[in-house]
Amino acid sequence: MAFDKMELQKIEVWDGNRAAAQALRQSQVDVVAAYPITPSTPIVEGYAKFLADGYIEGEFVMVESEHAAMSGCIGAAAAGGRVATATSSQGYALMVETLYQASGMRLPIVLNVVNRALAAPLNVNGDHSDMYLGRDSGWIQLDAYCPQDAYDLNFIAFKVSEDHDVRLPCMVHQDGFITSHTAQGVHTLTDDEAYGFVGEYQPMNDMLDFEHPVTHGVQTEEDWHFEHKARQHNDLMTKVMPKIQTAFDDFEKLSGRKYNIVESYDMSDADVCVVCMGTSVETAREVATEMRAKGIKAGVVGLRVIRPFPFFEIAEALKGVKAIAALDRSSPNGAAGMLFNELAGALFNTGTKALLSGYVYGLGGRDLTKAHLVSLFTELQKNVDAGKVTTPLQQFIGVRGPKLSFL
Amino acid sequence: MANKGWDEFEIGAMLRTFEGKIDDIAGTLQENRAYSQNSSFVASVADWRIIKPVFNKDFCIDCQFCWVYCPDISIISRDKKMIGIDMDHCKGCGICVEVCPTNPKSLMMFPEKADEETELAAWPAKNEEKK
Amino acid sequence: MSENKNIKNLKEFSTSADRFEGANLLCPGCAHSIIVREVLNATNDDLILSASTGCLEVCTAVYPYTSWDASWIHIGFENGSTAVAGAESMYKALKTKGRLKQPDRNPKFVSFAGDGASYDIGFQWISGCMERGHNIMHVVLDNEVYANTGGQRSSSTPIGSSATTSPEGRRSYGEKKNKKDMVSIMASHNIPYSAQVAPNKWKDMVKKIQHGFSVDGPVFINAVSPCTTEWKFDPKDTMHLADLATDSLVFPLYEIIDGHELNITYRPKTVVPVEEYLAAQGRFKHLFKDEYKHLIKEWQERVDAKWAQLNRREEARV
Ligand SMILES: Cc1ncc(C[n+]2csc(CCOP(=O)(O)OP(=O)(O)O)c2C)c(N)n1
Ligand code: SF4
Ligand code: SF4
Ligand code: SF4
Ligand SMILES: [Mg+2]
């Protein structure tokens, strides 16, 4: 049997979901086990349709829950082939048990996560609650800011995840609706270029090698468990970043598009900066440029790689700045925000004198407006002028009612 | 197996049963397989036993009941003949003795410390009351 | 489809080279192991196996040892069925794409799980696998209790059994609800084959497993697995308990083909009273108190009614 190649325009008008689905097709994924949930559904529907139309060969398994989707992906990945799926929000939450199992068994799986709020109350729109939920699960997490990124990062994800020195599953995050359902121009690769980049799947410890039977998913107790978890953490801490960097470099050679572990914008001489993720990065960049016209030297740092956390890269990006705002799009529910804490950890033992404050924004798809960012940058400049943080360390922005701030 | 450090084993806590390649597992008897150090075949649970089965081949009719019902793959049958017990894997449950249909039984349980030769010499005669 | 292994009698069966190893950590006398051996030895084909969390799993793959001589995977408590279904999907994908390393094999995909993992927490996963038509066999090791975690009730636990979460006591005779009829539920997915088996009836077992391996589509097998620890009997009596289970008709042996054609596959020459089956187990000991004697009678009536129903279904050929 064979399948047909697809002739793509140099630039296609795709939303983030379409872009991710096309990347799965071009990577010739062998098995997709999936369950629908807004806003990620079109990704797996896309794979199913490509299969139905003969643009890909493989198996699409429409299972009965997201837990089963990831369970099926784990079985398929352990069997030995290229595996991917997609989910969001409640589906992601239902998958959590299996996320740890997939990474602990060192199985390469690409999971497209179209970020969406977590109930209750139920909400279908984008925030980063689901993305944050998985941050200790042992997966690699890459963050797309727009459909182009969603397309490109899927190729990077397969390349890194399946590398025999890595063998860790990888999520590609994009913001629900703002990225997933907003069509933009996406520069494409030809089918041959894309598959050439990702490469043929190289099996390892594959169950379907009948001449080398393998046991996956053992029991370990206090005499072994720690060592296995330590090994996984070690590999995340030491092996993944260099592979991502190489993949980014190779991808730039192929496509001309440059990705960085930490995406710095106007940071070389910035006094104040915002650190954020997802579509907010692009909004913040626009506002930062506008702030410069008003005399405030503003910059933006976006995380491209969330896990492993770019501890040194982010400290390097922030080394000259005087005031930093960490923007968390997930309710910390009784603590400082994740990003705030990570940045504090990364900067604490450095020579930085930067003032760090945290902001919680955009829950349940609430817009982060330019006006919000203008006042935020202005506040940061005030901190710089005062030589101390003049506001509470944690402020909610864009929420109705009396001003909400803590710490 | 020695307790290895975190950097010394296969990722994913993955285990391999055999050393190298094995072609036809179902067609290869245990003695001809290259088990790895990670197969429980190389381990022993002999110290679990308080009582142990002793086999008296004089009465055995090779019916293979003990083979099929032994939970611990400890009845060694080759060429349709019961030839002995794998004392590394036998847990001393006593099922084989229960299912053995001969009279007297061809398998009997004795204390773990019992001497096999002595017990064989003192094997009971046919029990006339039983069927 | 590969040729079924030729197993005419026990002597022939005993030439099988086991693909499940000793020095696992199952209790002495555990029936799980006997069932697994009979299933695996029913074929010479390659195997891709899974186990859901439970006694079988925690006792057969305790690092750094594995008792499995075929590729085996455990993910969690609820999803062993879907694990092999995923592997089976990959097999199909790689077969289509011509990427199998050994394309000439006929692997069988088998998922082993306890009654807790099958009747309760994994129910939805198994139902999904059956409905989707994967070429897999799901085998329940039915000891009617959560044995691995110390004896809590499952929806397979029968009335009157004392489990730690439905204990007998001054005001209770133990479990109040009747066992779920999983074989019928699974047959209702219109799968090609579902059956109830028992390790003591090895020939019936092997025949059914071989039938299961020969059909195209999902297969469900419920195997009674007497548990020395939770049923409370001497380990040497495991096969005796299995005999009592089948011969009292508490565990009737039958098969359902294509979701409707029911065949009873074993009719005991002498039917043993249910009372004898109950009396052999500590978990039912309290039922023999005067105030609960009626429960034993009701037990017998339920077993008779179920047997009559099975016979009607067999005759009706519905
Ligand atoms: C999600 C989840 N819930 C609960 C458990 C705890 N647990 C592990 S095994 C088990 C009982 C297993 O019972 P069963 O499936 O009947 O198998 P058995 O041990 O009786 O063979 C339980 C409750 C778990 N491991 N995972
Ligand atoms: S005592 Fe039990 S484990 Fe030992 S050989 Fe007999 S049946 Fe097997
Ligand atoms: S059950 Fe008894 S007679 Fe039959 S093979 Fe075993 S030892 Fe021999
Ligand atoms: S508790 Fe029961 S099922 Fe579990 S290992 Fe022991 S005998 Fe087997
Ligand atoms: Mg059980």
Side-chain angles (χ1 to χ4, degrees), chain C residues 114-116 141 143-147:
Chain C
D115 49 295
L141 305 166
N143 56 12
E144 304 189 317
V145 70
Y146 292 175

Side-chain angles (χ1 to χ4, degrees), chain A residues 174-391:
Chain A
Q174 57 174 291
D175 281 354
F177 290 105
I178 316 181
T179 301
S180 68
H181 285 66
T182 308
Q184 292 181 0
V186 173
H187 295 261
T188 61
L189 301 174
T190 66
D191 285 7
D192 288 342
E193 283 170 342
Y195 192 66
F197 176 77
V198 174
E200 196 150 297
Y201 181 86
Q202 301 298 329
M204 180 180 182
N205 302 340
D206 44 330
M207 292 176 76
L208 289 175
D209 180 351
F210 301 108
E211 293 171 349
H212 299 89
V214 62
T215 289
H216 280 292
V218 297
Q219 185 91 1
T220 57
E221 291 307 336
E222 69 287 353
D223 51 349
W224 282 103
H225 191 80
F226 201 173
E227 281 72 25
H228 284 290
K229 288 292 188 190
R231 172 65 175 270
Q232 184 179 344
H233 180 70
N234 173 75
D235 293 357
L236 274 155
M237 293 300 274
T238 63
K239 296 195 170 158
V240 176
M241 278 313 187
K243 293 287 181 182
I244 292 179
Q245 191 54 59
T246 309
F248 281 168
D249 293 346
D250 292 348
F251 193 76
E252 187 188 357
K253 276 181 219 138
L254 174 70
S255 69
R257 292 188 290 280
K258 182 171 175 56
Y259 289 92
N260 300 287
I261 286 164
V262 164
E263 300 285 5
S264 295
Y265 179 79
D266 264 359
M267 285 301 292
S268 57
D269 64 340
D271 289 333
V272 297
C273 84
V274 153
V275 182
C276 58
M277 296 184 277
T279 43
S280 310
V281 176
E282 300 205 327
T283 321
R285 282 173 180 171
E286 272 181 47
V287 178
T289 306
E290 291 169 22
M291 296 313 286
R292 283 186 176 253
K294 294 181 193 165
I296 294 179
K297 286 202 259 174
V300 177
V301 170
L303 259 69
R304 184 62 78 192
V305 182
I306 304 166
R307 284 292 182 276
F309 187 77
F311 195 84
F312 298 111
E313 292 85 349
I314 202 131
E316 176 65 23
L318 296 171
K319 71 169 185 258
V321 78
K322 295 174 182 153
I324 305 161
L327 265 64
D328 280 295
R329 197 171 192 173
S330 171
S331 175
N333 287 325
M338 181 277 273
L339 210 42
F340 178 92
N341 284 337
E342 297 285 12
L343 292 186
L347 295 171
F348 191 76
N349 289 314
T350 65
T352 183
K353 296 273 184 300
L355 302 161
L356 177 64
S357 49
Y359 294 83
V360 174
Y361 77 100
L363 302 190
R366 181 67 49 85
D367 276 345
L368 177 70
T369 64
K370 284 187 161 189
H372 290 138
L373 285 157
V374 169
S375 58
L376 201 154
F377 277 120
T378 312
E379 260 174 30
L380 293 183
Q381 185 59 47
K382 266 195 211 133
N383 292 349
V384 173
D385 296 342
K388 62 174 186 184
V389 179
T390 58
T391 61

Side-chain angles (χ1 to χ4, degrees), chain B residues 55 60-66 82 100-102 106-107:
Chain B
F55 174 50
C60 175
I61 56 171
D62 293 312
C63 68
Q64 304 302 340
F65 284 143
C66 57
M82 152 64 166
C100 180
T102 59
S106 315
L107 285 157

Side-chain angles (χ1 to χ4, degrees), chain C residues 76-250:
Chain C
F77 189 13
E78 62 290 81
N79 51 6
S81 55
T82 313
V84 281
E88 183 253 7
S89 301
M90 183 56 77
Y91 174 76
K92 282 199 285 207
L94 297 189
K95 193 170 180 160
T96 315
K97 294 171 117 168
R99 291 212 336 259
L100 289 169
K101 285 183 182 169
Q102 300 101 18
D104 52 332
R105 311 290 180 113
N106 267 299
K108 304 290 181 269
F109 295 83
V110 185
S111 142
F112 291 104
D115 49 295
S118 304
Y119 288 54
D120 295 338
I121 196 167
F123 188 68
Q124 170 183 315
W125 284 253
I126 297 165
S127 175
C129 287
M130 297 291 139
E131 171 270 322
R132 290 192 299 273
H134 294 281
N135 237 321
I136 66 168
M137 176 183 286
H138 183 84
V139 181
V140 183
L141 305 166
D142 185 8
N143 56 12
E144 304 189 317
V145 70
Y146 292 175
N148 181 51
T149 43
Q152 301 78 30
R153 60 94 54 186
S154 78
S155 55
S156 172
T157 304
I159 293 184
S161 176
S162 183
T164 60
T165 50
S166 56
E168 63 88 17
R170 278 195 298 144
R171 298 208 175 105
S172 175
Y173 56 81
E175 178 61 30
K176 304 277 184 312
K177 291 162 221 81
N178 209 355
K179 188 183 166 90
K180 210 185 232 180
D181 182 357
M182 270 294 270
V183 179
S184 292
I185 294 170
M186 288 301 140
S188 298
H189 287 68
N190 290 319
I191 54 174
Y193 196 64
S194 52
Q196 181 145 283
V197 299
N200 51 324
K201 301 295 168 198
W202 70 269
K203 206 166 187 176
D204 180 76
M205 166 93 82
V206 165
K207 208 172 150 212
K208 285 172 177 166
I209 299 301
Q210 292 196 332
H211 186 116
F213 284 150
S214 75
V215 299
D216 194 18
V219 171
F220 179 83
I221 302 285
N222 197 67
V224 57
S225 185
C227 166
T228 138
T229 309
E230 297 302 338
W231 293 17
K232 301 186 173 66
F233 60 83
D234 192 303
K236 74 175 173 23
D237 292 328
T238 301
M239 296 329 292
H240 179 53
L241 258 296
D243 283 341
L244 287 173
T246 52
D247 292 6
S248 65
L249 299 172
V250 169

